[in-house]
Amino acid sequence: MFPFKPVRITEQMFRSRDWTGWVLERKYDGFRCVLIVDAKGAAALWTRERKPIAMPDNLRQQIADLKLPAGTVLDGEIWTPTKRGSWRHDKTVVCNLTFWDVIRAGSQDLSREKLEKRHERLVELLGGGTDNISAVEQYAATPENFEEALRVARAHRDTTDSKSGFIHGVVLKKLSSPRQDHPTRT
């Protein structure tokens, strides 16, 4: 039944089965967003529920600098590393965009391609990224990489005195899997 509840992954789960053929991605603690570049090359951020997201000041020029082709659609997370203040109400709060998928690259529909091809194309589109925009990194699904994700999250919480840190958890994805969107309320 939708909506699915997230499953908490523990190190024991990694040790209890073979995760060959799976990748691990860090899950950032923010809001799911979709970046759409229109026919004129203007980029806008949207929620999954098709509601516009006000563009934070620090991201506008960085997105333009990427020179994404018209028609591009990227799926990801908008988040702030400080967790101080609300960027939704204050466009001057510095935000990051971390993308984990590409649905369209210009006029090319990638939604039915395998995970590896979509991620490769995403990295190509973003190049080296910008100060605040990047593609999510993928790691082999191992207990060591899971522990490293937790270590980075703890270190961030300790150095910024933030309650939850910017890494909310991890996401496991099966290699060769097609994109699957779940229904949302409209």
Side-chain angles (χ1 to χ4, degrees):
M1 186 118 195
F2 185 81
F4 300 104
K5 297 287 183 193
V7 176
R8 294 279 181 203
I9 301 293
T10 65
E11 184 179 355
Q12 182 60 34
M13 292 178 77
F14 281 101
R15 299 205 187 281
S16 67
R17 70 173 280 191
D18 181 13
W19 291 98
T20 303
W22 290 74
V23 292
L24 176 147
E25 297 175 351
R26 292 176 181 159
K27 165 69 174 85
Y28 292 88
D29 190 10
F31 292 89
R32 173 92 179 264
C33 71
V34 177
L35 176 89
I36 300 174
V37 182
D38 69 18
K40 296 180 181 178
L45 295 172
W46 299 87
T47 68
R48 282 182 77 192
E49 291 81 22
R50 300 182 185 113
K51 294 180 182 172
I53 296 174
M55 183 71 69
D57 293 343
N58 73 300
L59 296 177
R60 187 172 309 283
Q61 187 59 49
Q62 291 181 58
I63 291 171
D65 290 346
L66 291 172
K67 298 184 182 356
L68 297 169
T72 296
V73 180
L74 305 179
D75 195 359
E77 193 92 4
I78 184 169
W79 55 280
T80 177
T82 60
K83 302 293 280 181
R84 291 181 177 90
S86 174
W87 57 266
R88 292 181 298 165
H89 305 292
D90 180 359
K91 291 182 2 178
T92 65
V93 172
V94 173
C95 291
N96 291 342
L97 281 171
T98 302
F99 293 107
W100 60 73
D101 209 350
V102 55
I103 301 166
R104 296 186 66 78
S107 61
Q108 182 185 18
D109 181 3
L110 296 168
S111 62
R112 288 188 163 75
E113 296 293 336
K114 294 178 180 181
L115 173 66
E116 302 90 311
K117 182 171 182 176
R118 294 192 323 271
H119 193 265
E120 179 181 305
R121 188 67 177 112
L122 175 64
V123 170
E124 288 172 6
L125 281 169
L126 297 180
T130 68
D131 289 344
N132 302 105
I133 301 172
S134 63
V136 72
E137 293 181 66
Q138 292 183 334
Y139 306 91
T142 65
E144 295 78 20
N145 287 336
F146 174 73
E147 279 299 314
E148 176 63 9
L150 294 181
R151 188 195 65 72
V152 170
R154 284 186 208 110
H156 178 79
R157 284 193 298 269
D158 292 346
T159 58
T160 62
D161 197 30
S162 122
K163 289 183 181 177
S164 64
F166 69 100
I167 297 176
H168 191 61
V170 297
V171 176
L172 292 169
K173 294 182 179 177
K174 187 170 177 71
L175 292 172
S176 299
S177 61
R179 182 178 171 80
Q180 294 181 342
D181 280 319
H182 301 290
T184 59
R185 286 176 258 143
T186 58

